Amino acid sequence: MRRIYLITYDVCDAKRLRQIFKCLRGWGDHLQYSVFECQLTDADLLRCKSEMADILHHGEDQVLVIDLGPAASRSETLVQAIGKPYSAMAAPCFVV
Amino acid sequence: MRRIYLITYDVCDAKRLRQIFKCLRGWGDHLQYSVFECQLTDADLLRCKSEMADILHHGEDQVLVIDLGPAASRSETLVQAIGKPYSAMAAPCFVV
């Protein structure tokens, strides 16, 4: 069973930022500059967290993984947008 | 009854970014560069969204408001951190 996770990150180095972006692009949708939404099984989540842990500097960077519940029972009002519509970003935008 | 909301933002202009930051600082805890966690009643949420809507340029900026459920029944595993611990940022960090 897949659950929805919102993953947000503060990464202090441009190279690691690119690496985290590339890692998460493989797992889900890029919503905002440093925010992804991923639908993951328990095994996926473990692999995703392990990949990120290998990239991060643990004293400087931070990733938050927020459990938004089962993908199958997703509420229409789970995520509300103000301004631009809520959707995956068309053009990935990250520090190069 | 208060619910927990995660509020993330992509704001394309430094002045509006400062304004959104100041607005949200009045409503909750600053977790990451562009992420706040707020515990809000329904009335609080309406006011908070209205304040943000007045600041944003709706064609350029975006705020996402993610409903994490009732504050009273918060799960220990709702938010997991990799790297730096999950806590309000000691020193607010935003573009000046």
Side-chain angles (χ1 to χ4, degrees), chain B:
Chain B
M1 194 187 74
R2 288 178 184 276
R3 297 179 73 84
I4 305 168
Y5 295 94
L6 201 79
I7 301 181
T8 72
Y9 48 91
D10 263 0
V11 174
C12 299
D13 167 83
K15 182 180 173 192
R16 297 198 300 276
L17 189 62
R18 282 197 300 275
Q19 290 174 320
I20 285 288
F21 177 86
K22 284 182 188 170
C23 165
L24 285 173
R25 200 169 46 177
W27 289 106
D29 293 325
H30 188 216
L31 297 188
Q32 288 187 343
Y33 178 72
S34 59
V35 181
F36 275 79
E37 181 181 313
C38 307
Q39 296 196 7
L40 305 175
T41 63
D42 289 351
D44 290 339
L45 178 63
L46 282 176
R47 281 184 52 206
C48 176
K49 286 167 67 177
S50 166
E51 288 178 16
M52 292 191 291
D54 287 345
I55 295 167
L56 295 176
H57 279 207
H58 289 241
E60 293 181 78
D61 306 327
Q62 184 190 59
V63 169
L64 295 179
V65 179
I66 300 109
D67 182 353
L68 302 185
S73 57
R74 181 193 185 109
S75 155
E76 286 293 315
T77 58
L78 178 66
V79 180
Q80 301 170 57
I82 308 169
K84 289 197 294 184
Y86 163 56
S87 62
M89 288 173 77
C93 148
F94 61 103
V95 176
V96 288

Coordinates of all heavy atoms in Angstrom, one line a residue, chain B:
Chain B
M1 N -11.4 23.6 17.5 CA -10.4 22.5 17.4 C -9.3 23.0 16.5 O -9.6 23.4 15.4 CB -11.0 21.2 17.0 CG -10.1 20.0 17.2 SD -10.9 18.5 16.4 CE -10.6 18.9 14.6
R2 N -8.1 22.8 16.9 CA -7.0 23.2 16.0 C -6.5 22.0 15.1 O -6.5 20.9 15.6 CB -5.8 23.7 16.8 CG -6.1 25.1 17.4 CD -5.0 25.6 18.3 NE -5.4 26.8 18.9 CZ -5.3 28.0 18.3 NH1 -4.7 28.1 17.1 NH2 -5.7 29.1 18.9
R3 N -6.1 22.4 13.9 CA -5.5 21.4 13.1 C -4.1 21.8 12.7 O -3.8 23.0 12.8 CB -6.3 21.2 11.7 CG -7.7 20.7 12.0 CD -8.4 20.5 10.7 NE -8.0 19.4 9.8 CZ -8.4 18.2 10.0 NH1 -9.3 17.8 10.9 NH2 -8.0 17.2 9.2
I4 N -3.2 20.9 12.4 CA -1.9 21.2 12.0 C -1.8 21.4 10.5 O -2.3 20.6 9.7 CB -0.9 20.1 12.4 CG1 -1.0 19.7 13.9 CG2 0.5 20.4 12.1 CD1 -0.4 18.4 14.2
Y5 N -1.2 22.5 10.1 CA -1.0 22.8 8.7 C 0.5 23.0 8.4 O 1.1 23.7 9.2 CB -1.8 24.0 8.3 CG -3.3 23.8 8.4 CD1 -4.0 24.2 9.5 CD2 -4.0 23.3 7.3 CE1 -5.3 24.0 9.6 CE2 -5.4 23.0 7.5 CZ -6.0 23.4 8.6 OH -7.4 23.2 8.7
L6 N 0.9 22.4 7.4 CA 2.3 22.7 6.9 C 2.1 23.7 5.7 O 1.2 23.5 4.8 CB 2.9 21.4 6.3 CG 4.5 21.5 6.3 CD1 5.0 21.3 7.7 CD2 5.0 20.5 5.4
I7 N 2.8 24.8 5.8 CA 2.6 25.8 4.8 C 4.0 26.1 4.1 O 5.0 26.4 4.8 CB 2.1 27.1 5.4 CG1 0.7 26.9 6.0 CG2 2.0 28.2 4.3 CD1 0.0 28.1 6.7
T8 N 4.0 25.8 2.8 CA 5.3 26.0 2.0 C 5.0 27.1 1.0 O 3.9 27.2 0.5 CB 5.7 24.7 1.3 OG1 4.8 24.4 0.2 CG2 5.7 23.5 2.3
Y9 N 6.1 27.8 0.6 CA 5.9 28.9 -0.4 C 7.0 29.0 -1.3 O 8.2 28.8 -1.0 CB 5.6 30.2 0.3 CG 6.5 30.6 1.4 CD1 7.7 31.3 1.2 CD2 6.3 30.2 2.7 CE1 8.5 31.7 2.2 CE2 7.1 30.5 3.8 CZ 8.2 31.3 3.5 OH 9.1 31.6 4.5
D10 N 6.7 29.3 -2.6 CA 7.6 29.8 -3.6 C 7.2 31.2 -4.0 O 6.1 31.4 -4.5 CB 7.5 28.9 -4.9 CG 8.6 27.8 -4.9 OD1 9.4 27.7 -4.0 OD2 8.6 27.0 -5.9
V11 N 8.0 32.2 -3.6 CA 7.6 33.6 -3.9 C 8.8 34.2 -4.7 O 9.9 34.0 -4.3 CB 7.4 34.3 -2.5 CG1 7.1 35.8 -2.8 CG2 6.2 33.7 -1.8
C12 N 8.4 34.8 -5.8 CA 9.4 35.2 -6.8 C 10.0 36.6 -6.6 O 10.8 37.0 -7.4 CB 8.8 35.2 -8.2 SG 8.2 33.6 -8.6
D13 N 9.7 37.2 -5.5 CA 10.1 38.6 -5.3 C 10.6 38.8 -3.8 O 9.9 38.3 -2.9 CB 9.0 39.5 -5.6 CG 9.2 41.0 -5.2 OD1 9.8 41.7 -5.9 OD2 8.7 41.3 -4.1
A14 N 11.7 39.4 -3.6 CA 12.3 39.5 -2.3 C 11.4 40.2 -1.3 O 11.3 39.8 -0.1 CB 13.7 40.2 -2.3
K15 N 10.7 41.3 -1.8 CA 9.9 42.1 -0.8 C 8.7 41.2 -0.4 O 8.3 41.1 0.8 CB 9.4 43.3 -1.5 CG 8.5 44.2 -0.6 CD 8.1 45.5 -1.3 CE 7.1 46.2 -0.4 NZ 6.4 47.3 -1.2
R16 N 8.0 40.5 -1.4 CA 6.9 39.7 -1.0 C 7.3 38.5 -0.2 O 6.6 38.1 0.7 CB 6.2 39.2 -2.3 CG 5.6 40.3 -3.2 CD 4.5 39.8 -4.1 NE 5.0 38.8 -5.1 CZ 5.6 39.1 -6.2 NH1 5.9 40.4 -6.6 NH2 6.0 38.1 -7.0
L17 N 8.5 38.0 -0.4 CA 9.0 36.9 0.4 C 9.2 37.3 1.8 O 8.7 36.6 2.7 CB 10.4 36.5 -0.2 CG 11.1 35.2 0.3 CD1 10.2 34.0 0.0 CD2 12.4 35.0 -0.3
R18 N 9.7 38.5 2.1 CA 9.8 39.0 3.4 C 8.4 39.2 4.0 O 8.2 38.9 5.2 CB 10.5 40.4 3.4 CG 12.0 40.3 3.3 CD 12.6 41.7 3.7 NE 12.1 42.8 2.9 CZ 12.7 43.2 1.8 NH1 13.6 42.5 1.2 NH2 12.2 44.2 1.1
Q19 N 7.5 39.7 3.2 CA 6.1 39.9 3.8 C 5.4 38.6 4.1 O 4.8 38.5 5.2 CB 5.3 40.6 2.7 CG 5.7 42.1 2.5 CD 4.9 42.8 1.4 OE1 4.7 42.2 0.3 NE2 4.6 44.0 1.6
I20 N 5.6 37.5 3.3 CA 5.0 36.2 3.6 C 5.7 35.7 4.8 O 5.0 35.1 5.7 CB 5.2 35.3 2.4 CG1 4.2 35.6 1.3 CG2 5.0 33.8 2.8 CD1 2.7 35.3 1.6
F21 N 7.0 35.8 4.9 CA 7.7 35.3 6.1 C 7.2 36.0 7.4 O 6.8 35.3 8.4 CB 9.2 35.6 5.9 CG 10.0 35.1 7.1 CD1 10.5 33.8 7.3 CD2 10.3 36.0 8.1 CE1 11.2 33.5 8.4 CE2 11.0 35.7 9.3 CZ 11.4 34.4 9.4
K22 N 7.0 37.3 7.3 CA 6.5 38.0 8.5 C 5.1 37.6 8.9 O 4.8 37.4 10.0 CB 6.6 39.5 8.3 CG 8.0 40.0 8.4 CD 8.1 41.6 8.2 CE 9.5 42.0 8.1 NZ 9.6 43.4 7.7
C23 N 4.3 37.4 7.8 CA 2.9 37.0 8.0 C 2.9 35.7 8.7 O 2.2 35.5 9.8 CB 2.2 37.0 6.7 SG 0.7 36.0 6.7
L24 N 3.6 34.7 8.2 CA 3.6 33.3 8.7 C 4.2 33.2 10.1 O 3.8 32.4 10.9 CB 4.2 32.3 7.8 CG 3.3 32.0 6.6 CD1 4.0 31.2 5.5 CD2 2.0 31.3 7.0
R25 N 5.2 34.1 10.4 CA 5.8 34.1 11.7 C 4.8 34.4 12.8 O 4.9 34.0 13.9 CB 7.0 35.1 11.7 CG 8.0 34.9 12.8 CD 9.2 35.7 12.6 NE 8.9 37.1 12.3 CZ 9.8 38.0 12.2 NH1 11.0 37.8 12.3 NH2 9.4 39.3 11.9
G26 N 3.8 35.1 12.4 CA 2.7 35.4 13.3 C 1.7 34.3 13.6 O 0.9 34.3 14.5
W27 N 1.8 33.2 12.7 CA 0.9 32.1 12.8 C 1.5 30.8 13.2 O 0.7 29.9 13.6 CB 0.2 32.0 11.4 CG -0.7 33.0 11.1 CD1 -0.5 34.0 10.1 CD2 -2.0 33.3 11.6 NE1 -1.6 34.9 10.0 CE2 -2.6 34.4 11.0 CE3 -2.8 32.7 12.6 CZ2 -3.8 35.0 11.2 CZ3 -4.1 33.2 12.9 CH2 -4.6 34.3 12.2
G28 N 2.8 30.7 13.1 CA 3.3 29.3 13.5 C 4.8 29.3 13.6 O 5.5 30.4 13.7
D29 N 5.4 28.1 13.5 CA 6.8 27.9 13.6 C 7.5 27.8 12.3 O 7.1 27.0 11.4 CB 7.1 26.6 14.4 CG 6.6 26.7 15.9 OD1 6.7 27.8 16.4 OD2 6.1 25.7 16.4
H30 N 8.7 28.4 12.2 CA 9.5 28.4 11.0 C 10.4 27.1 11.0 O 11.2 27.0 11.8 CB 10.4 29.6 10.9 CG 11.1 29.8 9.6 ND1 12.4 30.3 9.6 CD2 10.8 29.5 8.4 CE1 12.8 30.4 8.3 NE2 11.8 29.9 7.6
L31 N 10.1 26.2 10.1 CA 10.8 24.9 10.1 C 12.0 24.9 9.2 O 13.1 24.4 9.5 CB 9.9 23.7 9.7 CG 8.7 23.4 10.6 CD1 8.1 22.1 10.1 CD2 9.2 23.3 12.1
Q32 N 11.8 25.4 7.9 CA 12.9 25.4 6.9 C 12.7 26.7 6.2 O 11.8 27.5 6.4 CB 12.7 24.2 5.9 CG 13.1 22.9 6.5 CD 13.1 21.8 5.5 OE1 12.6 21.9 4.4 NE2 13.7 20.7 5.9
Y33 N 13.7 27.0 5.3 CA 13.7 28.2 4.5 C 12.4 28.7 4.1 O 12.0 29.9 4.3 CB 14.7 28.0 3.3 CG 14.8 29.2 2.4 CD1 15.5 30.3 2.9 CD2 14.2 29.3 1.2 CE1 15.6 31.5 2.1 CE2 14.2 30.4 0.4 CZ 15.0 31.5 0.8 OH 15.0 32.6 0.1
S34 N 11.6 27.8 3.5 CA 10.2 28.3 3.0 C 9.1 27.4 3.5 O 8.2 27.1 2.8 CB 10.2 28.4 1.5 OG 10.5 27.1 0.9
V35 N 9.3 26.9 4.7 CA 8.3 26.0 5.3 C 8.0 26.4 6.7 O 8.9 26.6 7.6 CB 8.9 24.5 5.4 CG1 7.8 23.6 6.0 CG2 9.3 24.0 4.0
F36 N 6.7 26.5 7.0 CA 6.2 26.8 8.4 C 5.2 25.7 8.8 O 4.6 25.1 7.9 CB 5.4 28.1 8.4 CG 6.3 29.3 8.6 CD1 7.0 29.9 7.5 CD2 6.4 30.0 9.8 CE1 7.8 31.0 7.7 CE2 7.2 31.1 10.0 CZ 7.9 31.6 8.9
E37 N 5.1 25.5 10.1 CA 4.1 24.6 10.6 C 3.2 25.4 11.6 O 3.7 26.1 12.5 CB 4.7 23.4 11.4 CG 3.7 22.5 12.0 CD 4.3 21.4 12.8 OE1 5.3 20.7 12.3 OE2 3.8 21.1 13.9
C38 N 1.9 25.4 11.3 CA 1.0 26.2 12.1 C -0.1 25.4 12.7 O -0.6 24.4 12.0 CB 0.4 27.3 11.2 SG 1.6 28.3 10.3
Q39 N -0.6 25.7 13.9 CA -1.7 25.0 14.5 C -2.8 26.0 14.5 O -2.8 27.0 15.2 CB -1.4 24.5 15.9 CG -0.3 23.4 15.9 CD -0.3 22.6 17.1 OE1 -1.1 22.8 18.0 NE2 0.7 21.8 17.2
L40 N -3.9 25.8 13.7 CA -4.9 26.8 13.4 C -6.3 26.3 13.6 O -6.6 25.1 13.2 CB -4.7 27.3 11.9 CG -3.3 27.8 11.5 CD1 -3.3 28.1 10.0 CD2 -2.9 29.0 12.3
T41 N -7.1 27.2 14.1 CA -8.6 26.9 14.0 C -9.1 27.2 12.6 O -8.3 27.8 11.8 CB -9.3 27.8 15.0 OG1 -9.2 29.2 14.6 CG2 -8.8 27.6 16.4
D42 N -10.3 26.8 12.3 CA -10.9 27.1 11.0 C -10.8 28.6 10.7 O -10.5 29.1 9.6 CB -12.3 26.6 10.9 CG -12.4 25.1 10.8 OD1 -11.3 24.5 10.7 OD2 -13.5 24.5 10.9
A43 N -11.2 29.4 11.8 CA -11.2 30.9 11.6 C -9.8 31.4 11.4 O -9.5 32.3 10.5 CB -11.8 31.5 12.9
D44 N -8.8 30.9 12.2 CA -7.4 31.3 12.0 C -6.9 31.0 10.5 O -6.3 31.8 9.9 CB -6.4 30.4 12.9 CG -6.6 30.8 14.3 OD1 -7.0 31.8 14.7 OD2 -6.2 29.9 15.1
L45 N -7.3 29.8 10.0 CA -6.9 29.4 8.7 C -7.4 30.4 7.6 O -6.7 30.8 6.7 CB -7.3 28.0 8.4 CG -7.0 27.5 7.0 CD1 -5.5 27.4 6.8 CD2 -7.6 26.1 6.7
L46 N -8.7 30.7 7.8 CA -9.3 31.7 6.8 C -8.5 33.0 6.9 O -8.2 33.6 5.8 CB -10.7 31.9 7.2 CG -11.7 30.8 6.7 CD1 -13.1 31.2 7.2 CD2 -11.7 30.7 5.2
R47 N -8.2 33.5 8.1 CA -7.5 34.8 8.2 C -6.1 34.7 7.7 O -5.6 35.6 6.9 CB -7.4 35.2 9.7 CG -8.7 35.9 10.2 CD -8.6 36.4 11.6 NE -7.4 37.2 11.8 CZ -6.8 37.4 13.0 NH1 -7.2 36.8 14.0 NH2 -5.8 38.2 13.0
C48 N -5.4 33.6 8.0 CA -4.0 33.4 7.5 C -4.0 33.4 6.0 O -3.2 34.0 5.3 CB -3.5 32.1 8.1 SG -1.9 31.6 7.6
K49 N -4.9 32.6 5.4 CA -5.0 32.5 3.9 C -5.3 33.9 3.3 O -4.8 34.2 2.2 CB -6.0 31.4 3.5 CG -5.5 30.0 3.7 CD -6.6 29.0 3.6 CE -7.1 28.8 2.2 NZ -8.1 27.7 2.2
S50 N -6.2 34.6 3.9 CA -6.6 35.9 3.4 C -5.4 36.9 3.4 O -5.1 37.6 2.5 CB -7.8 36.5 4.2 OG -7.9 37.8 4.0
E51 N -4.6 36.8 4.5 CA -3.4 37.7 4.6 C -2.4 37.3 3.5 O -1.9 38.2 2.9 CB -2.8 37.5 6.0 CG -3.6 38.2 7.2 CD -2.9 38.0 8.5 OE1 -1.7 37.6 8.6 OE2 -3.6 38.2 9.5
M52 N -2.2 36.0 3.3 CA -1.3 35.6 2.3 C -1.7 36.0 0.9 O -1.0 36.4 0.1 CB -1.0 34.1 2.4 CG -0.2 33.7 3.7 SD 0.3 32.0 3.7 CE -1.2 31.1 3.8
A53 N -3.0 35.8 0.7 CA -3.6 36.1 -0.6 C -3.4 37.6 -1.0 O -3.2 38.0 -2.1 CB -5.1 35.7 -0.7
D54 N -3.5 38.5 0.1 CA -3.3 39.9 -0.2 C -1.8 40.2 -0.6 O -1.6 41.3 -1.2 CB -3.7 40.7 1.1 CG -5.1 40.7 1.3 OD1 -5.9 40.4 0.4 OD2 -5.6 41.1 2.4
I55 N -0.9 39.4 -0.2 CA 0.5 39.7 -0.4 C 1.0 39.1 -1.8 O 1.7 39.7 -2.5 CB 1.4 39.1 0.7 CG1 1.1 39.7 2.0 CG2 2.9 39.1 0.3 CD1 1.7 39.0 3.2
L56 N 0.5 37.9 -2.1 CA 1.0 37.2 -3.3 C 0.7 37.8 -4.6 O -0.4 38.4 -4.7 CB 0.5 35.7 -3.3 CG 0.9 34.8 -2.1 CD1 0.1 33.5 -2.2 CD2 2.4 34.6 -2.1
H57 N 1.5 37.6 -5.6 CA 1.1 37.8 -7.0 C 0.7 36.5 -7.5 O 1.4 35.5 -7.6 CB 2.3 38.3 -7.8 CG 2.6 39.8 -7.6 ND1 3.2 40.6 -8.6 CD2 2.3 40.6 -6.6 CE1 3.2 41.8 -8.1 NE2 2.7 41.9 -7.0
H58 N -0.6 36.4 -7.8 CA -1.2 35.1 -8.0 C -0.8 34.4 -9.3 O -0.9 33.2 -9.4 CB -2.8 35.2 -7.9 CG -3.2 35.5 -6.5 ND1 -4.1 34.7 -5.8 CD2 -2.9 36.5 -5.7 CE1 -4.2 35.2 -4.6 NE2 -3.6 36.3 -4.5
G59 N -0.2 35.1 -10.2 CA 0.3 34.4 -11.4 C 1.7 34.0 -11.3 O 2.2 33.2 -12.1
E60 N 2.4 34.5 -10.3 CA 3.9 34.2 -10.2 C 4.2 33.3 -8.9 O 5.1 32.5 -9.0 CB 4.6 35.5 -10.0 CG 4.7 36.4 -11.2 CD 5.5 37.6 -10.9 OE1 6.7 37.5 -11.0 OE2 4.9 38.7 -10.6
D61 N 3.5 33.6 -7.8 CA 3.9 33.0 -6.5 C 2.9 31.8 -6.2 O 1.8 31.7 -6.8 CB 3.7 34.0 -5.4 CG 4.6 35.3 -5.7 OD1 5.6 35.2 -6.3 OD2 4.1 36.4 -5.2
Q62 N 3.3 31.0 -5.3 CA 2.4 29.9 -4.8 C 2.7 29.6 -3.4 O 3.8 29.5 -2.9 CB 2.7 28.7 -5.6 CG 1.7 27.5 -5.3 CD 2.2 26.2 -5.9 OE1 3.3 25.7 -5.6 NE2 1.3 25.6 -6.7
V63 N 1.6 29.5 -2.6 CA 1.6 28.9 -1.3 C 0.8 27.6 -1.3 O -0.2 27.6 -1.9 CB 1.0 29.9 -0.3 CG1 0.8 29.2 1.1 CG2 1.9 31.1 -0.1
L64 N 1.4 26.6 -0.7 CA 0.7 25.3 -0.5 C 0.4 25.2 1.0 O 1.2 25.4 1.8 CB 1.5 24.1 -1.0 CG 1.8 24.1 -2.5 CD1 2.6 22.8 -2.8 CD2 0.5 24.0 -3.3
V65 N -0.9 24.9 1.3 CA -1.4 24.7 2.7 C -1.8 23.2 2.8 O -2.7 22.8 2.1 CB -2.6 25.6 3.0 CG1 -3.0 25.4 4.4 CG2 -2.2 27.1 2.7
I66 N -1.0 22.5 3.5 CA -1.2 21.0 3.6 C -1.8 20.7 5.0 O -1.2 21.0 6.0 CB 0.1 20.3 3.4 CG1 0.7 20.6 2.0 CG2 -0.1 18.8 3.5 CD1 1.9 21.5 2.0
D67 N -2.9 20.0 5.0 CA -3.7 19.7 6.2 C -3.1 18.4 6.8 O -3.2 17.3 6.2 CB -5.2 19.5 5.8 CG -6.0 19.2 7.1 OD1 -5.5 19.0 8.2 OD2 -7.2 19.2 6.9
L68 N -2.5 18.5 8.0 CA -1.9 17.3 8.6 C -2.7 16.7 9.7 O -2.3 15.9 10.5 CB -0.5 17.7 9.2 CG 0.5 18.3 8.2 CD1 1.9 18.5 8.9 CD2 0.7 17.3 7.0
G69 N -4.0 17.2 9.8 CA -4.9 16.6 10.8 C -5.0 17.3 12.1 O -4.3 18.3 12.3
P70 N -5.8 16.8 13.0 CA -6.1 17.4 14.3 C -4.8 17.5 15.1 O -4.1 16.5 15.2 CB -7.1 16.5 14.9 CG -7.7 15.8 13.8 CD -6.7 15.6 12.8
A71 N -4.6 18.7 15.7 CA -3.4 18.8 16.6 C -3.5 17.9 17.8 O -2.5 17.4 18.3 CB -3.3 20.3 17.1
A72 N -4.7 17.6 18.3 CA -4.8 16.8 19.5 C -4.5 15.3 19.3 O -4.1 14.6 20.2 CB -6.3 16.9 20.0
S73 N -4.5 14.9 18.0 CA -4.2 13.4 17.8 C -3.0 13.3 16.9 O -2.9 12.3 16.1 CB -5.4 12.7 17.2 OG -5.8 13.4 16.0
R74 N -2.1 14.2 17.1 CA -0.9 14.1 16.3 C 0.0 12.9 16.5 O 0.2 12.5 17.6 CB 0.0 15.4 16.7 CG 1.2 15.5 15.9 CD 2.2 16.5 16.5 NE 3.3 16.6 15.6 CZ 3.6 17.6 14.9 NH1 2.8 18.7 15.0 NH2 4.6 17.6 14.1
S75 N 0.4 12.3 15.4 CA 1.2 11.0 15.5 C 2.7 11.4 15.7 O 3.1 12.4 15.1 CB 1.0 10.2 14.2 OG 2.1 9.4 14.0
E76 N 3.4 10.6 16.4 CA 4.8 10.8 16.7 C 5.6 10.7 15.4 O 6.7 11.3 15.2 CB 5.3 9.7 17.6 CG 4.9 9.9 19.1 CD 5.6 11.1 19.7 OE1 6.8 11.4 19.5 OE2 4.8 11.9 20.4
T77 N 5.1 10.0 14.4 CA 5.8 9.7 13.2 C 5.3 10.6 12.0 O 5.7 10.4 10.9 CB 5.7 8.3 12.7 OG1 4.3 8.0 12.6 CG2 6.3 7.3 13.8
L78 N 4.5 11.6 12.3 CA 4.0 12.5 11.3 C 5.1 13.1 10.5 O 5.0 13.2 9.2 CB 3.1 13.6 11.9 CG 2.5 14.6 11.0 CD1 1.4 14.0 10.1 CD2 1.8 15.7 11.8
V79 N 6.0 13.7 11.2 CA 7.2 14.4 10.5 C 8.5 13.7 10.9 O 8.7 13.6 12.1 CB 7.2 15.9 10.8 CG1 8.4 16.5 10.1 CG2 5.9 16.6 10.5
Q80 N 9.2 13.2 10.0 CA 10.5 12.6 10.3 C 11.6 13.5 9.7 O 11.4 13.9 8.6 CB 10.6 11.2 9.7 CG 9.6 10.2 10.2 CD 9.6 8.9 9.4 OE1 10.6 8.2 9.3 NE2 8.5 8.6 8.8
A81 N 12.7 13.6 10.4 CA 13.8 14.4 9.9 C 15.0 13.6 9.5 O 15.3 12.6 10.3 CB 14.2 15.5 10.9
I82 N 15.7 13.9 8.5 CA 17.0 13.3 8.2 C 18.0 14.5 8.2 O 17.7 15.6 7.6 CB 17.0 12.7 6.8 CG1 15.9 11.7 6.6 CG2 18.4 12.0 6.5 CD1 15.7 11.2 5.2
G83 N 19.1 14.3 8.9 CA 20.0 15.4 9.0 C 19.7 16.2 10.3 O 19.5 15.6 11.4
K84 N 19.6 17.5 10.3 CA 19.4 18.3 11.5 C 18.0 17.9 12.1 O 17.1 17.6 11.3 CB 19.4 19.8 11.1 CG 20.8 20.3 10.8 CD 20.9 21.8 10.8 CE 20.1 22.5 9.8 NZ 20.3 23.9 9.8
P85 N 17.9 18.0 13.4 CA 16.7 17.6 14.0 C 15.5 18.4 13.6 O 15.6 19.6 13.2 CB 16.9 17.8 15.5 CG 18.4 17.9 15.7 CD 18.9 18.4 14.4
Y86 N 14.3 17.9 13.7 CA 13.1 18.5 13.4 C 12.7 19.5 14.6 O 12.4 19.0 15.7 CB 12.0 17.5 13.2 CG 10.5 18.0 13.3 CD1 10.1 19.0 12.5 CD2 9.6 17.4 14.2 CE1 8.8 19.4 12.5 CE2 8.3 17.8 14.2 CZ 7.9 18.8 13.4 OH 6.6 19.2 13.5
S87 N 12.8 20.8 14.3 CA 12.4 21.8 15.4 C 12.3 23.1 14.7 O 12.7 23.3 13.5 CB 13.5 21.8 16.4 OG 14.8 22.3 15.8
A88 N 11.7 24.0 15.4 CA 11.6 25.4 14.8 C 13.1 25.9 14.7 O 13.9 25.6 15.5 CB 10.8 26.3 15.7
M89 N 13.3 26.6 13.6 CA 14.6 27.2 13.3 C 14.9 28.2 14.4 O 14.1 29.1 14.7 CB 14.7 27.8 11.9 CG 14.7 26.8 10.8 SD 14.6 27.6 9.2 CE 16.2 28.2 9.0
A90 N 16.2 28.1 15.0 CA 16.6 29.1 16.0 C 16.7 30.5 15.4 O 16.2 31.5 15.9 CB 17.9 28.6 16.6
A91 N 17.3 30.6 14.2 CA 17.6 31.8 13.6 C 16.8 31.9 12.3 O 17.1 31.2 11.4 CB 19.1 32.0 13.4
P92 N 15.8 32.8 12.3 CA 15.1 32.9 11.0 C 16.0 33.3 9.9 O 16.9 34.1 10.0 CB 14.1 34.0 11.3 CG 14.4 34.6 12.6 CD 15.4 33.7 13.3
C93 N 15.8 32.6 8.8 CA 16.7 32.8 7.6 C 15.8 33.1 6.4 O 15.0 32.3 6.0 CB 17.5 31.5 7.4 SG 17.9 31.0 5.8
F94 N 16.0 34.3 5.9 CA 15.2 34.6 4.7 C 15.9 35.7 3.9 O 16.8 36.4 4.4 CB 13.8 35.0 5.0 CG 13.6 36.3 5.9 CD1 13.3 37.5 5.3 CD2 13.8 36.2 7.2 CE1 13.2 38.6 6.1 CE2 13.7 37.3 8.0 CZ 13.4 38.5 7.4
V95 N 15.6 35.8 2.6 CA 16.2 36.7 1.7 C 15.9 38.1 2.2 O 14.8 38.5 2.4 CB 15.7 36.5 0.3 CG1 16.3 37.5 -0.6 CG2 16.1 35.1 -0.2
V96 N 17.0 39.0 2.3 CA 16.8 40.4 2.7 C 17.1 41.3 1.5 O 17.6 40.9 0.5 CB 17.6 40.7 3.9 CG1 17.0 40.1 5.1 CG2 19.0 40.4 3.7

